[in-house]
Amino acid sequence: MAKTLGAQAPTARERLLSAANELFYAEGVQTVGIDRIIERAGVAKASLYNTFGGKEQLVRAYLDARHTRLSERLLRAVDAAGTPRDRLLAVFDAQADLLAQQNYHGCAFVAASAEAKHGSAIEEASDTARAWIRALFTRLARDAGAPDPEALAHQLHLLYDGGGVSARMDRDPSAGSAAREAAGVLIDAALPKPS
């Protein structure tokens, strides 16, 4: 296959992150050794260590990249929604689309943090992603006029997490839709009624 003019081959970093994303997400961060990542990426072992320093830093970069993609997906859905209530539910709409995908293997952050040492870069990346989602729910609840946006955000976050776990553990791609439906009930109960 001829190389297209102007097209650049992926860097070693990009190839390592792509391989890490594929293997870590499908099989787990502890199960997959660096030799498999290196082989899949087609790079030398020195490239991994020069680029990331070690496996923990590669896992952190993998989780950071997943967080970036997830936050972009959620924000696109929120930005496309009309009313403040719809903006809250848009988070669940985006999640439902994700959970219904055939290659959904559960939440990468839950899986990685379950295997991580306390205080590790892996736990920190997972905590950062969770805090971002909670902050998003809090901001959207505040924008919707919830009298206690933090409490509503906490409840919605529990539903969000539960939908993801149920989709994976119960092999139930409809879990996202059920979580969205329950979120609608919570939101309606929490928001002031129009006078």
Side-chain angles (χ1 to χ4, degrees):
M1 182 171 175
K3 186 174 176 182
T4 307
L5 287 178
Q8 293 182 344
T11 65
R13 177 184 174 77
E14 291 166 338
R15 292 194 317 267
L16 285 162
L17 280 174
S18 177
N21 185 56
E22 179 184 336
L23 293 171
F24 287 158
Y25 184 64
E27 300 176 30
V29 298
Q30 294 302 324
T31 305
V32 176
I34 58 168
D35 290 338
R36 286 193 57 213
I37 300 287
I38 291 164
E39 180 183 340
R40 179 69 54 95
V43 300
K45 189 176 272 194
S47 293
L48 182 136
Y49 289 107
N50 289 337
T51 305
F52 295 103
K55 184 176 178 182
E56 184 173 335
Q57 293 82 5
L58 174 62
V59 174
R60 171 68 193 250
Y62 148 74
L63 291 172
D64 288 346
R66 287 196 75 88
H67 173 63
T68 297
R69 288 191 303 275
L70 176 65
S71 59
E72 288 170 354
R73 167 188 227 114
L74 296 179
L75 290 175
R76 272 193 308 274
V78 166
D79 289 344
T83 68
R85 179 185 185 275
D86 289 342
R87 289 169 61 84
L88 277 163
L89 289 173
V91 175
F92 290 93
D93 291 331
Q95 184 194 38
D97 290 343
L98 182 67
L99 302 184
Q101 293 178 1
Q102 281 189 320
N103 65 346
Y104 181 72
H105 297 292
C107 176
F109 305 101
V110 170
S113 65
E115 302 174 355
K117 292 179 184 168
H118 181 64
S120 68
I122 297 166
E123 183 181 65
E124 184 181 301
S126 297
D127 290 350
T128 297
R130 290 187 55 71
W132 183 88
I133 291 172
R134 179 71 63 88
L136 174 64
F137 277 130
T138 303
R139 178 175 57 85
L140 294 174
R142 186 173 292 112
D143 292 348
D148 190 348
E150 289 82 10
L152 179 57
H154 185 203
Q155 293 167 344
L156 294 174
H157 198 185
L158 289 170
L159 277 175
Y160 181 90
D161 287 347
V165 170
S166 181
R168 172 66 177 141
M169 298 299 294
D170 300 333
R171 294 163 202 78
D172 180 7
S174 71
S177 297
R180 185 205 191 275
E181 191 175 321
V185 172
L186 273 176
I187 291 166
D188 289 343
L191 296 184
K193 306 298 177 257
S195 42

